[in-house]
């Protein structure tokens, strides 16, 4: 009787009705209407309904696992937004205003601060490969700049600056020196460029170890600093020259 009802298109509704029966489920026996009805206890009727509903014919159009997972996710998301909207003054409009405000604040912070810098486990070194001359580093930086590779161009130009100072004996050639150390030591010999040297070191660290991207302007600033340093005499040499000039002038008098 269950199978016959299912094939007629109303079986699923009929079987589910069995599960909602309070004490017993009454099924009409096949045959004439004069025969007495057949009563089944609730538990056997429920078990019969389960067996009937477990047949494949009732599940051919069921959604797949992925679809069920997506439906569950969207239901959860809808409930989440509904709860947030109900707790926000102004309802959905108020929630939308709050979300837009938070997004605007995060965008402003990202634009102002850039990509968060990663903390290095140890002090980053300036040179990490075979020793090269300042001219070689300059040539490498110009080649990178010509291709628009500004990160590498900034790195090589900073190395050219430090190597040029070493070649002029304004810095001692020391392996493992960091960009910050080089800038601090060079600032003592060239005090007029202390701030620009520190800014160049920060630019190098941000690009190399902080995850930031350099631009053409960053490279141009380092290239200009490199050229200015070449034309600048160290403070020690200026002081010595002034002392020698004063000594000669005093002897002549």
């Amino acid at each position: 009787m269950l199978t016959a009802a299912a094939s007629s298109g109303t079986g699923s509704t009929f079987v589910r009705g069995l599960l909602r029966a309070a004490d017993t489920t009454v099924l009409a026996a096949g045959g004439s209407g004069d025969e007495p009805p057949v009563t089944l206890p609730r538990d056997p009727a429920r078990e019969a309904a389960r067996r009937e509903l477990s047949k494949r014919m009732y599940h051919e159009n069921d959604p797949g696992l992925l679809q069920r997972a997506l439906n569950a996710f969207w239901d959860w998301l809808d409930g989440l937004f509904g709860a947030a909207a109900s707790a926000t003054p102004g309802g959905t409009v108020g929630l939308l205003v709050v979300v837009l405000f938070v997004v605007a604040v995060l965008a402003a912070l990202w634009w102002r601060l850039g990509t968060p810098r990663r903390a290095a486990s140890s002090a980053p070194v300036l040179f990490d490969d075979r020793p090269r001359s300042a001219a070689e580093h300059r040539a490498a930086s110009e080649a990178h700049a010509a291709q628009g590779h500004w990160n590498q161009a900034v790195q090589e130009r900073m190395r050219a600056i430090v190597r040029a100072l070493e070649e002029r004996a304004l810095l001692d050639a020391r392996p493992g020196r960091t960009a910050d150390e080089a800038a601090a030591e060079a600032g003592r010999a060239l005090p007029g460029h202390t701030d620009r040297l520190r800014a160049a070191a920060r630019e190098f660290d941000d690009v190399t170890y902080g995850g930031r991207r350099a631009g053409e302007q960053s490279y141009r600033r380092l290239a200009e600093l490199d050229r200015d340093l070449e034309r600048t005499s160290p403070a020690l040499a200026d002081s010595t020259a002034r002392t020698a000039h004063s000594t000669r002038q005093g002897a002549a008098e």
Side-chain angles (χ1 to χ4, degrees):
M1 183 64 183
L2 290 175
T3 304
S7 61
S8 66
T10 61
S12 178
T13 303
F14 182 76
V15 172
R16 286 184 175 86
L18 293 179
L19 298 177
R20 295 193 297 267
D23 296 321
T24 61
T25 302
V26 180
L27 300 178
S32 65
D34 297 334
E35 297 178 2
V38 178
T39 60
L40 293 177
R42 183 177 181 180
D43 289 342
R46 183 183 296 274
E47 185 61 29
R50 287 200 183 99
R51 286 198 302 270
E52 180 65 22
L53 291 177
S54 65
K55 293 182 179 180
R56 185 174 181 179
M57 59 184 295
Y58 297 112
H59 304 282
E60 291 178 350
N61 298 321
D62 287 355
L65 179 61
L66 178 60
Q67 185 62 44
R68 291 199 300 272
L70 288 175
N71 291 340
F73 171 76
W74 290 120
D75 290 342
W76 171 81
L77 196 62
D78 182 66
L80 179 65
F81 276 100
S86 62
T88 304
T92 303
V93 176
L95 177 62
L96 182 60
V97 171
V98 171
V99 171
L100 291 177
F101 175 76
V102 172
V103 170
V105 170
L106 292 177
L109 290 175
W110 189 278
W111 176 80
R112 180 66 180 84
L113 302 177
T115 305
R117 298 179 60 179
R118 296 191 298 268
S121 58
S122 60
V125 297
L126 184 62
F127 299 99
D128 55 2
D129 53 5
R130 67 174 182 84
R132 289 187 289 174
S133 66
E136 289 177 310
H137 284 297
R138 287 192 188 102
S141 71
E142 291 170 357
H144 285 304
Q147 299 178 20
H149 301 162
W150 302 116
N151 281 23
Q152 295 88 336
V154 164
Q155 292 169 331
E156 290 298 326
R157 202 70 188 204
M158 184 62 191
R159 290 169 180 144
I161 290 172
V162 175
R163 187 67 78 201
L165 294 175
E166 291 177 351
E167 292 172 353
R168 295 171 61 188
L170 298 178
L171 292 177
D172 59 309
R174 177 159 51 88
R177 174 188 280 119
T178 66
D180 292 330
E181 292 171 346
E185 295 171 17
R188 289 192 287 270
L190 302 166
H193 299 284
T194 301
D195 293 339
R196 295 173 68 191
L197 285 165
R198 289 176 179 171
R202 285 195 300 270
E203 194 84 46
F204 176 87
D205 289 344
D206 288 346
V207 167
T208 307
Y209 306 101
R212 294 191 179 184
R213 295 185 61 83
E216 182 177 0
Q217 292 301 319
S218 300
Y219 170 73
R220 298 301 176 195
R221 283 194 295 269
L222 266 70
E224 183 179 356
L225 174 62
D226 187 17
R227 289 190 293 268
D228 291 346
L229 291 176
E230 284 190 293
R231 296 190 294 264
T232 303
S233 300
L236 179 60
D238 291 343
S239 177
T240 303
R242 286 194 298 269
T243 302
H245 177 73
S246 299
T247 302
R248 288 194 301 270
Q249 186 177 7
E253 294 176 352

